[in-house]
Amino acid sequence: MNAEAVPSELPSAWRRDEVSAYYEAKTERLLQRYGPGPRVHYHSGLVDVVPPPGAPSAVLRDTVHAAQEALLVELARAVGRFPDGGEVLDVGCGLGGGALYWATEHQARVTAVTNVPSHVALVRGFAEAAGVSAQVRPILCDALCVPRRTAFDAVVAVESACYLPRAEWFRRTRTLLKPGGVLAIADCFLRRPELAPGFDRYWRTRIGSLDEYLSAAHAAGLELEVRDDVSSRVVGFWSLTLELMVHERASAHPAQHPLRALAQAGRGESSRAHLRLQQALMDGGLEYGLLVLRRVD
């Protein structure tokens, strides 16, 4: 983590080293909720049919994983001709689920960037388990300091662009892309400014509006090709995670009555944040969107 690269536009409370420490501390919980792998994702997903109430934990976990992979499928579809066999940079790769997806489903050679030290070894291990270790190269690096050892056909940022100083990152991304290469983003965008403080405080980020993103991208020489609003398909994902929290609490306290577990889950900070996010997606305060931006020369 490059502490000197902390952008001035991020709230001082969320320096990048603090964000790294936050996710470092959450790693075991993320593995328990979204594992066992090897393709482990911890981002939103697309849900068209929510399982009925009372579904077993295993069904919920399988549905969550399928929804997260559906988001990647949709992002690749938005790109159009995803560069199969090409060079892909996965920015903010998390536990490597996306990197393994691009390597497996699109035969890509993936440079997987993370700012969480322990995740490098985890991603490497998952890549070996999936049989794609020759295609996935995890590195510990600030997203603004990715070495230009190769030019990339695609840069992918799934729920990581909101952590980066947009103008500076877009300029850097353009230099990393081949002429005609694409930047594919999946993220939340702000529609009502009053929602920003609560969102940023809980998710340790700095959410931006779509206009902010597009203005910074255009200034950097990246032109919008696709914008897909998939908010309605993300809403159900947060219902799944809320129900998973109920199961997790019940597992931690097996003698507890399910209704009591549900009530306690609803009072927890995490559950409240999930509910606020879900409501904002439903009422238009937030947009969950897919953006495809192309380098123009």
Side-chain angles (χ1 to χ4, degrees), residues 10-11 13-15 18-19 22-23 162-163 198-206 269:
L10 280 172
W14 306 134
R15 298 194 317 266
E18 291 178 321
V19 173
Y22 170 73
Y23 280 106
C162 55
Y163 290 93
F199 187 97
D200 290 350
R201 184 169 53 252
Y202 180 78
W203 300 103
R204 270 69 170 181
T205 186
R206 180 192 169 279
E269 179 188 9

Side-chain angles (χ1 to χ4, degrees), residues 167 170-171 174 215-222:
F170 283 143
R171 289 193 297 268
R174 186 186 183 281
S215 176
H218 181 75
L222 299 169

Side-chain angles (χ1 to χ4, degrees), residues 134-202:
Q135 296 167 248
V136 176
R137 181 171 70 97
I139 60 172
L140 182 67
C141 182
D142 189 287
L144 298 178
C145 304
V146 175
R148 197 180 187 282
R149 297 174 182 171
T150 187
F152 294 97
D153 298 285
V155 174
V156 179
V158 178
E159 296 181 13
S160 58
C162 55
Y163 290 93
L164 302 170
R166 258 72 75 177
E168 186 178 358
W169 179 59
F170 283 143
R171 289 193 297 268
R172 177 58 179 160
T173 296
R174 186 186 183 281
T175 69
L176 295 172
L177 284 170
K178 294 178 181 178
V182 296
L183 168 59
I185 295 174
D187 222 318
C188 267
F189 302 103
L190 188 67
R191 284 182 170 175
R192 289 211 309 270
E194 69 271 17
L195 297 178
F199 187 97
D200 290 350
R201 184 169 53 252
Y202 180 78

